[in-house]
Amino acid sequence: MHYYMHTVEHSYTSLPEPLQCTGSLDSRELRFSRAMVFAVEEINNSSDLLPGVTLGYQVHDSCSSVPMAVKVAFQLANGLDPMFDTGEQCLKSATVTAIVGESGSTPTISMLRIIGPFGIPQVSHFSTCACLSDKKQYPTFFRTIPSDQFQAAALARLIRHFGWTWIGAVRSDSDYGNNGMAAFLQAAQEEGICVEYSEAFYRTNPLSRVQRVADVIRSSTARVVVAFAATGDMRILLRELDRLPSPPRQWIGSETWVTDPDMLRFGLCAGAIGFGIQRSVIPGLRDFLLDLSPQKVSNSPLLTEFWEGAFGCRLGIGTSTGVGVEEKVCDGSEDIQQLQTPYTDTSQLRVTNMVYKAVYAIAHAIHSIVCEERENSTVNCYKNLHVKPTQVLERLRTVNFSRNGYQVSFDANGDPIPTYELVNWQIGESGKMEFVTVGRYDASMPPDQMFNMEKEITWVKNSTQVPVSVCSDSCPPGTRKAVQKGKPVCCYDCIQCAEGEISNNTDSSDCLICPKEYWPNAERDRCILKPVEFLSFHEVLGIILTAFSVGGACLAIATATVFYRHRTSAIVRANNSELSFLLLFSLTLCFLCSLTFIGRPSEWSCMLRHTAFGITFVLCISCVLGKTIVVLMAFRATLPASNVMKWFGPPQQRLTVVSFTFVQALICTLWLVLSPPFPIKNLTTYKEKVLLECDLGSVGAFWAVLGYIGLLSLLCFVLAFLARKLPDNFNEAKFITFSMLIFCAVWITFIPAYVSSPGKFTVAVEIFAIITSSFGLFFLLFVPKCFIILFRPEKNNKKHLMEKTSNDTRY
């Protein structure tokens, strides 16, 4: 009923004074005690429950203090005279059968230490400490209010539901506050919620301690504050916060204070939310509470104190408390119907119903002991049967009934089914603060169905927008969280995902690696297919190379046409027309084979490109080599008694070309049979794209093909170099020398360029080498002859040829 106890300094020379409660009377707690009296009288008048059996009761004020609670516990266990007796004298037992209470967890624990060994059951309506569920320590404890273990989990889920990850926490420095906050902090950690501070205080602490807690709240960056505190403690803290201007805070309260009507006067908590016991209706209770007259009131010191405090007068009948009341005598005109106090307010019957259910639970347990049903459905109760507390204790474990639509039962820990209402402090149409039920929470439901939001919540500063309370803003997709050194996990920096990684969710702690053929988009929030790269006919480089390839082939064909039309001319006949036509044919193939390197690689194109290139180039070099040998043999044939040309005539020239080409064809055939080239997706050269390439299959075969071409080119270059000063028709040996020099230079340069060029440029380098070397052969071997045929026809005769040969012979 009161929150303080009168303290006396003991001199140890005289008997100590009896313990006394001080401070103002809590009319809400008075309503709880009156609800117990109402339930007892209702049961005594019932014909169904304990018919003919009268329950007696005693009401004690614990002052919310441990010493007084211990004293009362000894009184109840020993059968001493009560402090306040508002019931009839019990005839059978001096000890109590059961206890309803206490409102606080710490006094309840103190009482249980004393009455527990006697097996006296205690059913609390308001002690919510999770520690009381420990049946090893408190085997005689039951409660009709859910444990804080469920409330703590519900508060953590509520905070996570609204996206608050950075909060402050205050608590009563008591069993209720400390155990409740410990359960909440554990649940909050599991939900990924960080706590900036956690402060404890008690109403009897020095004012400086409360001021320090208030300063911590004012200076914090967390905009949401969770308060697991008793009403008396919370009232002191809010007064201190109200004394100086404080930044707006969103308060989250435990059921002890968040549903206390007396707390609504603190406007700084407007918009507060918290879980409260389900609001209920108890028929007849309001009439019972208001059925007070000065005569009835004067029989109870508690009711007398309430009456005098509420109306500001002193009762002339009986004994007055006289505490804080002026010497004005109540004249009987006081109307309790018009009184607006928590005692008369029955619109929010929450904990009151827990008292009501506790009394009925004990009554049902006694009923199962002393009463039995007969065959004609009548109930017979044995009035003189001695009921032991241990019997009531055993029967309380199995009670299961419904009263006014509310189920009453206890689990193995003595706890009821946890159900809550989500209560919001809203300013009503009258301008006054009021409780509004905005949702419900049922811990017995599946996790996704525990919350049921019914109405819109009004937040701090009368806002409809959910306040934000985070240490760091959310990291958008494409980034990950990196915890700041020395700070909680909720304080972090947003780091962009590394190359090849994405995050497609907000506040991702890690980035995901894209699959091999995928790459992050610019925002790095999703993986997209890597662009495929190969040398295409549609890109600029592909078009240029194609143009040069086709152009070279066309020039070779055009030259062959010119040679064919002038095949009877001296210059064509003198330059071995058969080898010349075969060389032009091979050059045409060399130009065209470069086209196989352009386009999307396929199985056939990969096998064709290198083999076609190798065979056509060997055919080309074989023809040049044949022409070089013909030049040398022709000079030897001009010497007296020489018949060299007999051994190197057209059949031998053809055989030479075929033999050299056959060797290359054999190498290519073995290559294709044993380890042919095949298309691959190169995912290593570039991270952000896929290169479509042709794997060589056998690297040795590739370099064997190039090596054989290089060997024939080197042989041709040496022979041409030896024949450069011989008296040749139109100095063709010199042109062969220069052409082979260019050819070798191109392919020697090709090797490092080929190895170092990435992706499609590797293919481009090879095509460039093919086209360049082909043009080198074509321009040096055929352009001078075409120039003479087309633009210097006067030099294209046998006479001119013989004159030039004679001049060269003289030199």
Side-chain angles (χ1 to χ4, degrees), residues 643-683:
N643 58 352
V644 175
M645 289 304 295
K646 171 183 172 184
W647 301 104
F648 202 74
Q652 288 78 14
Q653 297 171 16
R654 299 189 195 100
L655 182 61
T656 300
V657 172
V658 171
S659 299
F660 286 136
T661 306
F662 175 76
V663 173
Q664 183 74 306
L666 181 61
I667 296 174
C668 291
T669 301
L670 293 174
W671 185 8
L672 294 179
V673 171
L674 298 178
S675 183
F678 57 90
I680 61 167
K681 293 180 179 179
N682 184 346
L683 304 173

Side-chain angles (χ1 to χ4, degrees), residues 95 114 124 174 287 299 353 376 392 424 444 487 573 583 596 617 648 703 717 736 742 744 786 801-802:
T95 58
I114 297 170
S124 177
S174 62
D287 295 336
N299 293 330
N353 191 42
N376 55 359
V392 179
N424 183 211
S444 63
K487 292 187 178 181
R573 295 180 64 186
L583 179 58
T596 61
F617 258 78
F648 202 74
W703 290 110
F717 171 74
I736 293 175
I742 294 174
C744 293
C786 288
L801 179 65
M802 293 303 296

Side-chain angles (χ1 to χ4, degrees), residues 356-506:
Y356 186 76
K357 290 162 68 173
V359 176
Y360 265 89
I362 296 172
H364 274 270
I366 298 174
H367 180 92
S368 65
I369 298 171
V370 303
C371 301
E372 62 179 10
E373 292 188 10
R374 293 181 176 178
E375 294 180 358
N376 55 359
S377 299
T378 59
V379 178
N380 180 40
C381 296
Y382 301 95
K383 301 179 182 179
N384 297 324
L385 183 64
H386 180 66
V387 179
K388 296 180 180 180
T390 52
Q391 292 177 295
V392 179
L393 175 63
E394 291 299 322
R395 298 302 175 94
L396 271 173
R397 294 190 176 105
T398 58
V399 295
N400 191 347
F401 64 93
S402 179
R403 182 67 184 173
N404 295 333
Y406 305 107
Q407 190 69 24
V408 180
S409 63
F410 303 106
D411 62 14
N413 296 323
D415 294 325
I417 298 174
T419 57
Y420 296 98
E421 286 183 350
L422 183 59
V423 179
N424 183 211
W425 290 20
Q426 297 185 7
I427 299 176
E429 296 179 357
S430 62
K432 294 183 179 180
M433 199 86 70
E434 59 185 27
F435 299 127
V436 178
T437 300
V438 295
R440 302 186 186 278
Y441 179 85
D442 188 347
S444 63
M445 300 294 289
D448 57 339
Q449 300 177 21
M450 289 182 179
F451 272 116
N452 183 20
M453 304 301 294
E454 297 174 351
K455 295 182 181 179
E456 185 176 356
I457 298 176
T458 300
W459 303 102
V460 61
K461 299 176 67 174
N462 203 31
S463 172
T464 56
Q465 295 293 326
V466 179
V468 177
S469 184
V470 294
C471 182
S472 301
D473 292 331
S474 296
C475 290
T479 61
R480 64 174 178 85
K481 296 190 296 185
V483 179
Q484 297 174 359
K485 187 176 181 180
K487 292 187 178 181
V489 294
C490 299
C491 301
Y492 48 80
D493 297 318
C494 296
I495 308 298
Q496 189 178 32
C497 291
E499 282 190 354
E501 298 180 349
I502 65 150
S503 64
N504 51 11
N505 294 320
T506 303

Side-chain angles (χ1 to χ4, degrees), residues 517 531-535 599-607 609-610 676-685 689-699 754 759-760 762-763:
E517 296 188 19
V532 177
E533 183 179 89
F534 56 90
L535 189 58
R600 189 183 189 93
S602 63
E603 188 174 351
W604 285 104
S605 66
C606 287
M607 291 190 293
R609 60 174 58 172
H610 291 103
F678 57 90
I680 61 167
K681 293 180 179 179
N682 184 346
L683 304 173
T684 58
T685 303
K689 55 186 175 182
V690 178
L691 299 180
L692 297 185
E693 299 177 340
C694 287
D695 189 278
L696 296 176
S698 173
V699 178
Y754 179 83
K760 63 182 181 181
T762 303
V763 179

Side-chain angles (χ1 to χ4, degrees), residues 455-733:
K455 295 182 181 179
E456 185 176 356
I457 298 176
T458 300
W459 303 102
V460 61
K461 299 176 67 174
N462 203 31
S463 172
T464 56
Q465 295 293 326
V466 179
V468 177
S469 184
V470 294
C471 182
S472 301
D473 292 331
S474 296
C475 290
T479 61
R480 64 174 178 85
K481 296 190 296 185
V483 179
Q484 297 174 359
K485 187 176 181 180
K487 292 187 178 181
V489 294
C490 299
C491 301
Y492 48 80
D493 297 318
C494 296
I495 308 298
Q496 189 178 32
C497 291
E499 282 190 354
E501 298 180 349
I502 65 150
S503 64
N504 51 11
N505 294 320
T506 303
D507 287 335
S508 295
S509 56
D510 293 301
C511 294
L512 305 175
I513 300 177
C514 288
K516 288 185 177 180
E517 296 188 19
Y518 288 80
W519 190 252
N521 59 352
E523 294 77 19
R524 298 191 181 180
D525 57 0
R526 61 188 180 94
C527 293
I528 57 176
L529 275 172
K530 290 181 180 180
V532 177
E533 183 179 89
F534 56 90
L535 189 58
S536 170
F537 286 103
H538 305 290
E539 59 181 299
V540 176
L541 182 59
I543 293 173
I544 293 174
L545 293 176
T546 301
F548 275 101
S549 177
V550 174
C554 292
L555 287 175
I557 294 172
T559 302
T561 303
V562 171
F563 268 50
Y564 182 76
R565 293 188 61 183
H566 299 83
R567 61 186 179 279
T568 58
S569 62
I571 195 170
V572 174
R573 295 180 64 186
N575 280 278
N576 198 330
S577 60
E578 185 174 345
L579 285 179
S580 295
F581 282 114
L582 188 57
L583 179 58
L584 286 171
F585 173 71
S586 63
L587 281 174
T588 303
L589 294 180
C590 287
F591 282 118
L592 294 179
C593 81
S594 62
L595 297 178
T596 61
F597 290 82
I598 305 176
R600 189 183 189 93
S602 63
E603 188 174 351
W604 285 104
S605 66
C606 287
M607 291 190 293
L608 181 62
R609 60 174 58 172
H610 291 103
T611 53
F613 152 71
I615 294 173
T616 54
F617 258 78
V618 166
L619 177 62
C620 179
I621 300 302
S622 299
C623 294
V624 176
L625 183 60
K627 292 175 67 68
T628 306
I629 295 174
V630 168
V631 171
L632 288 172
M633 295 300 104
F635 177 76
R636 294 294 181 185
T638 58
L639 297 177
S642 177
N643 58 352
V644 175
M645 289 304 295
K646 171 183 172 184
W647 301 104
F648 202 74
Q652 288 78 14
Q653 297 171 16
R654 299 189 195 100
L655 182 61
T656 300
V657 172
V658 171
S659 299
F660 286 136
T661 306
F662 175 76
V663 173
Q664 183 74 306
L666 181 61
I667 296 174
C668 291
T669 301
L670 293 174
W671 185 8
L672 294 179
V673 171
L674 298 178
S675 183
F678 57 90
I680 61 167
K681 293 180 179 179
N682 184 346
L683 304 173
T684 58
T685 303
Y686 293 107
K687 296 179 180 179
E688 69 279 4
K689 55 186 175 182
V690 178
L691 299 180
L692 297 185
E693 299 177 340
C694 287
D695 189 278
L696 296 176
S698 173
V699 178
F702 172 72
W703 290 110
V705 169
L706 287 184
Y708 185 66
I709 295 174
L711 179 64
L712 293 182
S713 302
L714 183 61
L715 178 62
C716 186
F717 171 74
V718 171
L719 294 178
F721 182 78
L722 295 175
R724 71 190 188 282
K725 291 184 178 181
L726 297 177
D728 187 278
N729 300 333
F730 306 104
N731 295 323
E732 189 173 30

Side-chain angles (χ1 to χ4, degrees), residues 723-785:
R724 71 190 188 282
K725 291 184 178 181
L726 297 177
D728 187 278
N729 300 333
F730 306 104
N731 295 323
E732 189 173 30
K734 295 180 180 179
F735 292 116
I736 293 175
T737 302
F738 282 115
S739 66
M740 286 297 102
L741 185 62
I742 294 174
F743 186 90
C744 293
V746 168
W747 285 102
I748 291 173
T749 309
F750 159 79
I751 294 174
Y754 179 83
V755 172
S756 61
S757 297
K760 63 182 181 181
F761 297 104
T762 303
V763 179
V765 167
E766 193 167 356
I767 296 174
F768 178 78
I770 293 173
I771 294 176
T772 303
S773 56
S774 299
F775 270 114
L777 291 173
F778 173 77
F779 278 112
L780 289 171
L781 295 180
F782 293 100
V783 170
K785 298 180 180 62

Side-chain angles (χ1 to χ4, degrees), residues 30-49:
L30 178 62
R31 187 180 72 212
F32 295 163
S33 68
R34 294 288 291 167
M36 187 195 76
V37 176
F38 169 75
V40 170
E41 293 187 0
E42 195 175 57
I43 293 168
N44 289 340
N45 296 324
S46 172
S47 60
D48 298 324
L49 186 62

Side-chain angles (χ1 to χ4, degrees), residues 47-331:
S47 60
D48 298 324
L49 186 62
L50 292 173
V53 177
T54 302
L55 299 179
Y57 59 88
Q58 298 174 359
V59 178
H60 296 265
D61 184 2
S62 68
C63 314
S64 190
S65 65
V66 171
M68 185 63 80
V70 170
K71 177 186 176 182
V72 172
F74 277 118
Q75 277 186 292
L76 297 175
N78 295 329
L80 299 178
D81 293 335
M83 295 176 62
F84 310 107
D85 187 358
T86 56
E88 299 180 0
Q89 294 294 330
C90 294
L91 301 177
K92 293 296 181 183
S93 175
T95 58
V96 295
T97 305
I99 298 173
V100 176
E102 212 266 354
S103 293
S105 296
T106 299
T108 297
I109 292 172
S110 303
M111 294 179 67
L112 286 169
R113 300 293 187 191
I114 297 170
I115 65 173
F118 297 99
I120 301 175
Q122 182 173 349
V123 184
S124 177
H125 60 287
F126 214 6
S127 298
T128 57
C129 179
C131 59
L132 290 168
S133 296
D134 186 354
K135 288 292 116 177
K136 291 183 179 180
Q137 294 193 59
Y138 313 107
T140 63
F141 179 75
F142 300 85
R143 53 184 158 197
T144 53
I145 190 170
S147 165
D148 282 337
Q149 188 70 36
F150 301 105
Q151 184 182 195
L155 287 173
R157 290 193 182 98
L158 176 72
I159 291 171
R160 188 62 188 174
H161 175 75
F162 291 112
W164 301 321
T165 57
W166 188 241
I167 64 171
V170 294
R171 67 186 186 277
S172 293
D173 195 4
S174 62
D175 290 290
Y176 165 72
N178 292 329
N179 285 278
M181 184 57 70
F184 167 75
L185 292 179
Q186 182 178 356
Q189 184 179 9
E190 293 173 357
E191 294 288 343
I193 301 167
C194 298
V195 180
E196 183 181 6
Y197 58 88
S198 180
E199 297 291 332
F201 67 100
Y202 197 64
R203 56 181 171 273
T204 57
N205 290 149
L207 182 59
S208 59
R209 175 69 177 273
V210 179
Q211 289 175 342
R212 189 182 68 82
V213 175
D215 291 338
V216 170
I217 296 174
R218 292 189 185 102
S219 61
S220 68
T221 57
R223 295 187 60 190
V224 173
V225 183
V226 178
F228 229 107
T231 301
D233 301 331
M234 199 65 193
R235 188 182 291 113
I236 294 175
L237 177 62
L238 293 180
R239 283 175 185 162
E240 176 59 30
L241 288 171
D242 215 8
R243 186 176 61 85
L244 295 175
S246 301
R249 293 289 183 263
Q250 177 63 50
W251 288 91
I252 311 296
S254 58
E255 92 290 327
T256 306
W257 69 271
V258 82
T259 56
D260 189 344
D262 186 54
M263 302 295 290
L264 291 175
R265 55 194 171 98
F266 294 102
L268 61 92
C269 289
I273 58 173
F275 290 105
I277 305 305
Q278 187 176 7
R279 187 169 57 177
S280 56
V281 176
I282 303 177
L285 177 61
R286 179 173 176 78
D287 295 336
F288 176 81
L289 293 176
L290 300 181
D291 185 19
L292 292 178
S293 64
Q295 184 63 39
K296 290 183 178 180
V297 169
S298 61
N299 293 330
S300 168
L302 284 175
L303 292 177
T304 299
E305 182 181 351
F306 163 71
W307 189 277
E308 291 180 346
F311 294 109
C313 61
R314 182 176 60 84
L315 282 171
I317 307 173
T319 304
S320 171
T321 60
V323 179
V325 179
E326 297 180 359
E327 294 297 323
K328 175 186 175 184
V329 180
C330 301
D331 55 6

